[in-house]
Amino acid sequence: MNAQANENFWALTEKEKQTLRLIVRGHDAKSVARSLGLSVHTINERLRDARRKMAVSSSREAARLLLEAEGGDPGGATPDLLGDRGIGEDAAGSGEDQGSAPISGAGRAFRHPWIIIGGLLMTLILGLLALAALPQAASPPSPVAAQAAAHSEVVDSARNFLALIDQGRWEESYRATGATFRKMNTVQVWADASEKGRVPLGAMVSRTFLSQENLPAPPHGYEVVKFRTRFANRATDAVETVSLDREDGVWRIVGVTID
């Protein structure tokens, strides 16, 4: 990488580097936003700033330069694909990455979510989103794989955290979150948001493990666990997504959504 590009690399913030690392792995703006629990608008702003600092017109090129600067092989592995096209492509006519994007995401929202901003590179979102169903690019895990993952320490930690929320034990569930999140949010803020977002759903009727996957992101990556859950006051099943980070040898919750 030339000297100018190398100098520009050091101007990138950690959040911009985080976003570019996901782009170089094959993600696009929407999938990065879903992975990090952020809006597409926020991701596009990061990408625009990164392109400006790297003096390139393509986010994919900025991601490639970052990979090269960090010792990766820009001509190496083929990016993962999600959906119908290569993720991270700056295709002509695509507004995912270059222009403004709707903050609300895909589908029509019928109610506003309750949101708490958390740290550790994640946004903690707690609320109800009645959105139009989004197509799933990946096939559901096999019963054997799901059963094996369901007995892992990560899944047990996620399930125990949700059980505390089911019982309205806000202080205990708060202590199960990561240190950075607790530093940025008081237990009262967490309790208030939980009361508004979780209590109206009523009692938990059933909770079934759906999937567990690793989200590669600095410094150590995240584990993302999904459950299909039925609540007494909701006509349709919900999907609960819990994101966890390893902290002092213990899995801590850094994000949870109820869709």
Side-chain angles (χ1 to χ4, degrees):
M1 184 168 64
N2 59 44
Q4 180 62 41
N6 188 59
E7 180 180 347
N8 293 342
F9 159 73
W10 294 111
L12 295 174
T13 67
E14 284 303 315
K15 290 182 178 181
E16 290 163 357
K17 292 177 185 177
Q18 172 198 29
T19 304
L20 290 176
R21 290 184 187 113
L22 291 176
I23 290 293
V24 84
R25 290 184 62 86
H27 288 262
D28 63 4
K30 278 188 177 180
S31 66
V32 171
R34 287 195 298 268
S35 297
L36 299 183
L38 300 173
S39 70
V40 180
H41 178 75
T42 297
I43 296 303
N44 280 328
E45 284 187 344
R46 288 188 187 180
L47 291 173
R48 280 194 292 270
D49 289 341
R51 291 195 301 270
R52 175 177 54 80
K53 292 176 181 178
M54 299 294 286
V56 295
S57 59
S58 162
S59 296
R60 183 172 55 180
E61 176 65 11
R64 185 192 67 79
L65 291 175
L66 174 63
L67 176 66
E68 182 179 346
E70 293 183 329
D73 178 11
T78 302
D80 298 330
L81 297 180
L82 295 179
D84 296 325
R85 65 181 180 85
I87 301 171
E89 290 181 355
D90 293 314
S94 173
E96 289 294 334
D97 187 40
Q98 304 293 337
S100 60
I103 298 177
S104 57
R108 179 181 176 186
F110 291 92
R111 64 182 71 183
H112 296 290
W114 300 101
I115 300 175
I116 299 176
I117 302 301
L120 202 53
L121 306 179
M122 296 290 289
T123 300
L124 178 61
I125 303 175
L126 179 67
L128 297 174
L129 294 178
L131 300 178
L134 297 177
Q136 300 299 319
S139 300
S142 67
V144 174
Q147 184 176 6
H151 290 85
S152 73
E153 180 184 358
V154 175
V155 175
D156 288 343
S157 297
R159 194 185 295 273
N160 291 338
F161 175 76
L162 293 175
L164 292 175
I165 297 178
D166 293 336
Q167 298 166 34
R169 295 159 67 179
W170 313 133
E171 291 189 13
E172 289 184 59
S173 62
Y174 179 80
R175 290 196 294 271
T177 60
T180 305
F181 172 79
R182 297 197 303 273
K183 181 178 179 180
M184 298 179 65
N185 300 278
T186 67
V187 65
Q188 189 59 53
V189 169
W190 166 250
D192 290 345
S194 300
E195 288 280 355
K196 294 175 182 177
R198 172 61 182 85
V199 171
L201 292 172
M204 187 273 290
V205 177
S206 64
R207 177 171 288 126
T208 304
F209 172 80
L210 287 179
S211 65
Q212 175 188 345
E213 65 175 322
N214 177 266
L215 171 62
H220 307 299
Y222 300 101
E223 293 294 328
V224 179
V225 182
K226 293 181 181 291
F227 300 92
R228 185 177 301 281
T229 307
R230 179 167 298 178
F231 295 102
N233 296 343
R234 176 163 169 162
T236 59
D237 290 351
V239 174
E240 297 176 298
T241 303
V242 182
S243 301
L244 304 94
D245 181 58
R246 193 74 168 176
E247 182 179 299
D248 297 329
V250 178
W251 287 103
R252 298 288 183 181
I253 280 66
V254 295
V256 55
T257 66
I258 305 175
D259 296 333

